[in-house]
Amino acid sequence: MLLRYRFRLYPTRPQRIALSRAFGCARVVFNDTVAARRLAHAEGLPYPTSATLSKRLITEAKRTPERAWLGEVSAVALQQALADADQAFRNFFASLKGRRQGSRMGPPRFKRRTGTQSIRFTRNARFEVLANGRLHLPKVGDLKVAWSRDLPSKPSSVTVLMSPTGKYYASFVVTVEDGTDFPGLLADPEAETGIDLGLKDFAVLRGGKVIENPRFFARLEQKLKKAQRALSRKAKGSQNQAKARLQVAKIHERVKQARSDWIDKQVKTIVAENQGIYVEDLGVKSLSRGRHSKSIQDAAFGMFLTRLESKANRAGRTFVRVDRFFPSTRLCSACGALTGPRGLEGLKVRAWACGCGAFHDRDANAEINIRREGKRMVAEGHSDTRNASGQDVRPGTLGRPGNPRKGKNEEPDRSRSATADRKPGIPAH
Ligand SMILES: [Zn+2]
């Protein structure tokens, strides 16, 4: 599988200048690509190919006075920016046609000067990790890296990022074989758990064991809202607006880091204690709350599942995603009747009684159903199918400084994660 390893970078002043030039050029090429495609669409012209755009927006543009400065940065990195815009369009089209997992995507948007800046170097851009531990980037120089752990293999690409708060990171994509962190099978055949992602709690595990939402979720959310309100009141383009924007970015960074550390801790415990891990696929619950209540918790679910899957695979654990339409909450785990709470009203029900005489805690019952369904999928050979499609390699989340603990600063590459085949055993209604 592909993993991302992220490290903090400490560029010198001249290197920062070269990088900001590279970020700017990559952003311009990306935005020019988006603009050219939008224009072609608006005028009813055929979709311009990447080869045409590469010639027009890079090779020929360099010869014009308005874009002559494009020649000052690595040409391969500019090609990559164009390829990234291209991929963004392909993802959008795939999403339109329903061929892409996850929620609907919008068309690619223009990159802004105030957001996270990035530039990607692939192997043929001849970036290199030097023997002295520095990262060599063409037309930038040899950058100092805070190596917090070794790279497991030669990286296939590196994305250099600058966060809105002015921190630099290198995010390497490396290939890691499954089972490389294999700690041995757990002796207890019952060391298995379903995971019911919660509404009140973060998740419920086997035996009704609860992972509570950490308090900082709510605390930081309040802080973030307050800072965002302050930002919205500032005059556009003013010095105060810039300050308020930095404040928001700083809180975002803290949220991401705190959430990421907390999730790593949960994932580590679950993988250490369980040979089989069965989860419900994401979607239903976060959607059921409506789009206005997208919270830190909702955002944490996705990261939690991605990292759990990645770590479980590396540790040789069974990991299965149960179909999101599997009625884990409504199904009575004692008799199999669909007697549980349903719909929006049902979200408030904590416990219920089935006609068969069984009395259930709502989440503990759901965990049993998820675990059973996952085991059934394994038994019938529906799980562990690899999804090797998709080329998009996103730089993952930002905001974590180099950390010396093992396994800390890595991010599974989401485009290549394994996904279980979807085959629910019981119809949704
Ligand atoms: Zn029942």
Side-chain angles (χ1 to χ4, degrees):
M1 90 180 73
L2 294 175
L3 284 180
R4 286 192 165 274
Y5 279 56
R6 191 171 61 242
F7 304 96
R8 190 79 188 265
L9 287 177
Y10 295 95
T12 61
R13 202 177 139 69
Q15 288 168 348
R16 288 203 297 273
I17 293 167
L19 277 174
S20 94
R21 197 181 293 140
F23 290 145
C25 291
R27 193 177 64 233
V28 164
V29 169
F30 186 96
N31 288 347
D32 284 353
T33 308
V34 173
R37 292 251 159 91
R38 280 189 189 177
L39 187 68
H41 179 75
E43 294 183 347
L45 297 170
Y47 186 76
T49 64
S50 346
T52 319
L53 291 182
S54 167
K55 195 161 158 252
R56 185 169 10 129
L57 302 178
I58 301 175
T59 321
E60 288 172 8
K62 278 184 197 170
R63 296 192 205 112
T64 66
E66 299 81 45
R67 293 275 188 270
W69 35 266
L70 286 179
E72 290 171 20
V73 309
S74 160
V76 188
L78 297 184
Q79 296 290 352
Q80 198 55 55
L82 199 145
D84 289 345
D86 211 42
Q87 186 63 50
F89 273 102
R90 256 181 280 150
N91 291 345
F92 166 56
F93 294 137
S95 174
L96 272 185
K97 288 177 188 150
R99 282 190 281 106
R100 193 182 157 83
Q101 281 183 41
S103 51
R104 275 286 172 87
M105 294 179 68
R109 280 178 297 186
F110 292 120
K111 283 192 194 289
R112 309 214 300 183
R113 207 182 281 270
T114 49
T116 296
Q117 304 294 303
S118 70
I119 188 160
R120 189 138 68 96
F121 298 87
T122 48
R123 238 178 224 164
N124 53 7
R126 284 196 282 277
F127 78 91
E128 207 177 345
V129 178
L130 304 171
N132 64 8
R134 289 188 174 239
L135 170 64
H136 173 77
L137 297 177
K139 298 203 181 180
V140 177
D142 300 347
L143 283 79
K144 190 175 156 195
V145 186
W147 297 106
S148 41
R149 64 180 310 201
D150 291 335
L151 289 173
S153 64
K154 208 172 145 78
S156 58
S157 79
V158 62
T159 304
V160 176
L161 305 116
M162 186 184 76
S163 75
T165 57
K167 289 178 184 153
Y168 293 82
Y169 300 88
S171 176
F172 295 93
V173 173
V174 291
T175 309
V176 177
E177 295 300 317
D178 280 2
T180 42
D181 281 353
F182 189 55
L185 288 170
L186 292 176
D188 181 4
E190 289 293 291
E192 294 191 310
T193 188
I195 299 180
D196 179 52
L197 297 174
L199 289 159
K200 183 171 143 285
D201 304 306
F202 186 80
V204 174
L205 308 183
R206 187 168 190 167
K209 188 177 158 193
V210 168
I211 301 179
E212 281 176 23
N213 271 309
R215 290 223 183 95
F216 68 79
F217 276 12
R219 204 179 58 227
L220 287 174
E221 202 151 281
Q222 286 300 320
K223 260 191 129 109
L224 192 59
K225 275 196 188 131
K226 212 174 138 197
Q228 278 164 338
R229 269 200 304 272
L231 171 61
S232 69
R233 284 196 297 264
K234 300 286 184 271
K236 226 178 160 189
S238 68
Q239 199 52 247
N240 279 336
Q241 190 199 27
K243 266 188 220 158
R245 189 183 290 124
L246 182 67
Q247 201 51 40
V248 169
K250 277 186 175 163
I251 298 171
H252 263 300
E253 218 168 68
R254 268 178 61 201
V255 168
K256 280 180 180 170
Q257 186 173 335
R259 182 173 56 203
S260 167
D261 287 351
W262 181 80
I263 285 174
D264 277 343
K265 218 169 90 190
Q266 309 309 321
V267 164
K268 201 173 162 191
T269 312
I270 293 171
V271 171
E273 292 175 355
N274 294 285
Q275 187 58 45
I277 299 161
Y278 310 100
V279 305
E280 60 183 336
D281 216 345
L282 205 55
V284 177
K285 280 190 179 159
S286 45
L287 288 176
S288 61
R289 274 190 283 191
R291 66 200 163 109
H292 293 298
S293 53
K294 173 101 180 154
S295 62
I296 296 181
Q297 183 193 359
D298 292 331
F301 283 151
M303 184 190 271
F304 171 73
L305 290 184
T306 313
R307 291 199 182 169
L308 184 61
E309 177 167 31
S310 169
K311 194 162 184 69
N313 285 336
R314 272 176 293 150
R317 306 302 201 217
T318 303
F319 180 91
V320 178
R321 281 177 199 258
V322 168
D323 189 277
R324 61 197 272 184
F325 298 116
F326 175 72
S328 59
T329 306
R330 296 195 55 218
L331 199 62
C332 167
S333 59
C335 73
L338 289 169
T339 51
R342 63 185 300 175
L344 281 170
E345 274 305 300
L347 293 174
K348 292 175 199 140
V349 178
R350 302 305 313 162
W352 53 282
C354 177
C356 73
F359 189 74
H360 298 293
D361 172 85
R362 169 209 163 90
D363 298 333
N365 175 64
E367 184 278 330
I368 296 171
N369 288 326
I370 291 166
R371 174 154 42 91
R372 260 190 213 149
E373 172 67 3
K375 288 176 78 122
R376 187 194 66 78
M377 287 167 70
V378 172
E380 293 186 4
H382 293 318
S383 75
D384 290 328
T385 52
R386 297 245 116 195
N387 174 6
S389 64
Q391 282 292 313
D392 56 324
V393 178
R394 289 180 291 161
T397 52
L398 262 182
R400 187 218 298 272
N403 191 314
R405 266 185 291 157
K406 186 175 184 295
K408 286 297 290 179
N409 50 352
E410 62 191 52
E411 180 82 15
D413 194 65
R414 286 173 203 130
S415 54
R416 296 279 183 108
S417 57
T419 314
D421 194 358
R422 281 121 202 263
K423 279 233 177 107
I426 298 161
H429 295 288

